[in-house]
Amino acid sequence: MCAASSRARYVRVFETCDEDKKGYLSREDFKVAVVMLFGYKPSKVEVDSVMASVQQKNSGVLLEEFLKLMSTKKAAQLHHSEIRQIFTAFDMQYRGFLTLEDFKRAFNSIAPKLPERIIVEAFREVDQDSDGHVSFKEFESAMNYRQNEVSQLHFA
């Protein structure tokens, strides 16, 4: 979905959820909007965080703030999906974890001249609990390294 069509969809949802035409989304309106756009009810913590960030200025979430929040949320969702796809491509045996052999196979196919010691070092770095397996959580953590410095707003 291109940015223009995403923006138009977010505007439509905002307008639909702002039933009283107040010009902002209340706490309940915001929850409904997230359900409509992402298919899940946001947690209390998520809603509290959003409302606290806008409450000083307004009674709720204004359209421009809503557009920024939803764009950030969509980008985070896409990033998570891409990480899952990469992990699945590495996990050729569908075990739910990666071994050093999985790492070697994957790196040899994309960077055949990369020295084995570099692959081993990378594996050890990602295998945070040193159990010889890289879980999706460990893999995701490595892939997101320094991401939080770039994007302060990360939805659950």
Side-chain angles (χ1 to χ4, degrees), residues 24 27 36 61 75 101 116-117 122 125 143 150 152 154-155:
Y24 64 86
R27 177 182 198 84
M36 289 175 71
V61 181
E101 292 309 311
E116 185 172 334
R117 69 177 176 73
E125 186 72 27
M143 295 293 284
V150 176
Q152 289 296 312
H154 229 304
F155 287 87

Side-chain angles (χ1 to χ4, degrees), residues 82-95:
E82 288 170 351
I83 292 171
R84 175 60 76 182
Q85 289 174 347
I86 294 167
F87 181 84
T88 301
F90 276 40
D91 183 16
M92 297 172 119
Q93 272 76 45
Y94 304 106
R95 294 175 300 222

Side-chain angles (χ1 to χ4, degrees), residues 23-140:
Y24 64 86
L25 297 182
S26 68
R27 177 182 198 84
E28 290 306 311
D29 297 337
F30 179 76
K31 285 191 229 178
V32 172
V34 171
V35 170
M36 289 175 71
L37 289 170
F38 297 97
Y40 78 94
K41 182 180 173 189
S43 69
K44 181 179 181 333
V45 172
E46 184 177 342
V47 176
D48 286 349
S49 171
V50 168
M51 297 313 283
S53 72
V54 299
Q55 217 67 62
Q56 300 90 7
K57 303 169 271 188
N58 312 304
S59 302
V61 181
L62 298 175
L63 176 60
E64 285 307 311
E65 293 168 320
F66 180 75
L67 294 175
K68 285 181 202 161
L69 288 165
M70 296 304 103
S71 294
T72 301
K73 184 167 184 54
K74 186 65 177 175
Q77 189 180 51
L78 289 172
H79 181 71
H80 179 80
S81 177
E82 288 170 351
I83 292 171
R84 175 60 76 182
Q85 289 174 347
I86 294 167
F87 181 84
T88 301
F90 276 40
D91 183 16
M92 297 172 119
Q93 272 76 45
Y94 304 106
R95 294 175 300 222
F97 61 84
L98 305 176
T99 64
L100 178 57
E101 292 309 311
D102 294 326
F103 257 59
K104 287 179 185 177
R105 196 172 19 262
F107 277 101
N108 284 333
S109 70
I110 57 173
K113 296 190 187 320
L114 191 65
E116 185 172 334
R117 69 177 176 73
I118 300 293
I119 298 169
V120 171
E121 285 176 29
F123 181 82
R124 287 184 181 148
E125 186 72 27
V126 177
D127 182 16
Q128 295 169 353
D129 60 7
S130 303
D131 67 352
H133 299 118
V134 172
S135 66
F136 176 72
K137 186 173 181 167
E138 289 171 320
F139 187 80
E140 183 178 40

